[in-house]
Amino acid sequence: MSANMTHFLPKISYEDHIKIFQNYLVCQELNRLDTAFFAHEYPLQIEGWGPFQAKISKRPGVICTYHFGAYQLIHYWLLKAQIPFALMVSSGEKANWEKRYPALLAVLQQAEATGRFVMLEANSRSSLRQMYKLSKAGFCLVIYPDDLDSTQERGGEKSEELSFLGQQVALPGDAAYIAHSLQMPLYPILALRQPTSVGVYAHPAIQPARHIDKSVFAASAMAQLYGWLDLFLMHWPEQWENWPYLHHIHIKKQPFFGSLWQSGIESDKLDPENYGMYVRGEARFLLRKRDMCSVSIDQLVFERLFEEWYSDEIGGLK
């Protein structure tokens, strides 16, 4: 997480990385607790959901959200408003939810039994055909354009290259391609955690047009989706779940794994602000954060640096 923040948000200090990571863990726990209220009333005030609900009730579309803030509540609000919707997730995302959010899946399964909810698997050939039928029946589609599990499963196939936080990344343009194919508007939305409430923020709808080439529309729509997310990450980085995995979508000429840099390790000061460490299999690596290049180190060096750098922050946990 620190390496990705150093690379994508270099003006944030390493000391702030630690604070952000602590708040990040709090947000993770709050996301888990949110789902405990799905069968009851949510205890915090919700600001801004009403206008968005009116919009999608009038014209169903592709709801684009992110793994940001109180994102699980979007499903809760749709269920509570009895707005039929299909949720598209990767197989990895579904497995993760089964472990972390069993209460959420239980409520979704109940809605599925009543015909108000369908779960679709990303990358399944039958999913788009199902969505055609569901869109005709008045369903919305909920999709996460920042689903990194989906990105890894596809291996970069049919990805859109765009600028994100000043770096070049590649992400599947599924949301935009589906919106164009179905001729449904894209509705970007996120739920920002605030001190005593949750604020719903909606980007203006992105309307597809048949006369615009699908790939041109996808490139434009994805740029808007991520340009909008940029604004929130600058102010509330702790509320985005994907910081530890951002390197999976980063476009680099040199590989992240096993590459050596020109200047030797001896010429650089080793500290946790500029370097990180990771394990892959039985091998240990030192990672230079500014360019995400790695060099192998032996286990004794790894253990010594780990103890020096992190024992105070995590109580010596290994």
Short mmCIF file of all heavy atoms in Angstrom, two decimals, residues 38 58 153 167 188 211 215 253 275 294:
data_model
loop_
_atom_site.label_atom_id
_atom_site.label_comp_id
_atom_site.label_asym_id
_atom_site.label_seq_id
_atom_site.Cartn_x
_atom_site.Cartn_y
_atom_site.Cartn_z
N PHE A 38 -28.31 -4.68 7.14
CA PHE A 38 -29.07 -4.82 5.91
C PHE A 38 -30.49 -5.32 6.14
O PHE A 38 -31.38 -5.04 5.35
CB PHE A 38 -28.33 -5.76 4.94
CG PHE A 38 -27.31 -5.04 4.09
CD1 PHE A 38 -26.66 -3.92 4.58
CD2 PHE A 38 -27.00 -5.48 2.83
CE1 PHE A 38 -25.72 -3.26 3.81
CE2 PHE A 38 -26.07 -4.81 2.05
CZ PHE A 38 -25.42 -3.70 2.54
N LYS A 58 -36.72 6.47 -12.73
CA LYS A 58 -37.33 6.99 -13.95
C LYS A 58 -36.73 6.34 -15.18
O LYS A 58 -37.44 6.01 -16.14
CB LYS A 58 -37.15 8.51 -14.00
CG LYS A 58 -37.83 9.16 -15.18
CD LYS A 58 -37.67 10.68 -15.11
CE LYS A 58 -38.36 11.35 -16.28
NZ LYS A 58 -38.21 12.84 -16.23
N GLU A 153 -7.98 -11.56 -13.90
CA GLU A 153 -8.54 -12.73 -14.57
C GLU A 153 -8.45 -12.59 -16.08
O GLU A 153 -8.20 -13.55 -16.80
CB GLU A 153 -10.00 -12.92 -14.15
CG GLU A 153 -10.17 -13.43 -12.73
CD GLU A 153 -11.63 -13.51 -12.32
OE1 GLU A 153 -12.49 -13.28 -13.19
OE2 GLU A 153 -11.91 -13.80 -11.15
N GLN A 167 -0.50 8.60 -13.50
CA GLN A 167 0.19 7.43 -14.06
C GLN A 167 -0.70 6.77 -15.11
O GLN A 167 -1.91 7.00 -15.15
CB GLN A 167 0.52 6.42 -12.96
CG GLN A 167 1.38 6.96 -11.84
CD GLN A 167 2.82 7.18 -12.26
OE1 GLN A 167 3.27 6.67 -13.30
NE2 GLN A 167 3.57 7.94 -11.48
N PRO A 188 -22.44 7.14 -12.56
CA PRO A 188 -21.36 7.01 -11.57
C PRO A 188 -21.84 7.51 -10.20
O PRO A 188 -22.47 8.57 -10.10
CB PRO A 188 -20.25 7.91 -12.12
CG PRO A 188 -20.61 8.14 -13.56
CD PRO A 188 -22.10 8.10 -13.60
N HIS A 211 -24.53 6.55 -32.76
CA HIS A 211 -23.68 6.99 -33.86
C HIS A 211 -22.23 7.15 -33.44
O HIS A 211 -21.35 7.34 -34.29
CB HIS A 211 -24.20 8.32 -34.42
CG HIS A 211 -24.07 9.47 -33.46
ND1 HIS A 211 -25.01 9.73 -32.48
CD2 HIS A 211 -23.10 10.42 -33.32
CE1 HIS A 211 -24.64 10.80 -31.80
NE2 HIS A 211 -23.49 11.24 -32.28
N SER A 215 -15.75 1.91 -29.10
CA SER A 215 -14.43 2.05 -28.48
C SER A 215 -14.14 3.50 -28.13
O SER A 215 -13.50 3.79 -27.11
CB SER A 215 -13.34 1.49 -29.39
OG SER A 215 -13.31 2.20 -30.63
N LYS A 253 7.12 -0.24 -18.37
CA LYS A 253 7.97 -0.85 -19.39
C LYS A 253 8.83 -1.96 -18.78
O LYS A 253 9.07 -2.98 -19.38
CB LYS A 253 8.85 0.21 -20.04
CG LYS A 253 8.07 1.22 -20.87
CD LYS A 253 8.99 2.22 -21.53
CE LYS A 253 8.21 3.21 -22.38
NZ LYS A 253 9.10 4.22 -23.02
N TYR A 275 11.81 2.43 0.44
CA TYR A 275 11.85 1.02 0.07
C TYR A 275 10.79 0.23 0.81
O TYR A 275 10.34 0.61 1.89
CB TYR A 275 13.23 0.41 0.39
CG TYR A 275 14.35 1.03 -0.42
CD1 TYR A 275 15.06 2.13 0.06
CD2 TYR A 275 14.67 0.52 -1.68
CE1 TYR A 275 16.07 2.71 -0.69
CE2 TYR A 275 15.68 1.10 -2.43
CZ TYR A 275 16.37 2.19 -1.94
OH TYR A 275 17.36 2.76 -2.69
N SER A 294 12.53 -4.10 -8.31
CA SER A 294 12.84 -5.01 -7.22
C SER A 294 14.20 -5.64 -7.39
O SER A 294 14.71 -5.77 -8.51
CB SER A 294 11.79 -6.13 -7.14
OG SER A 294 10.50 -5.62 -7.02
#
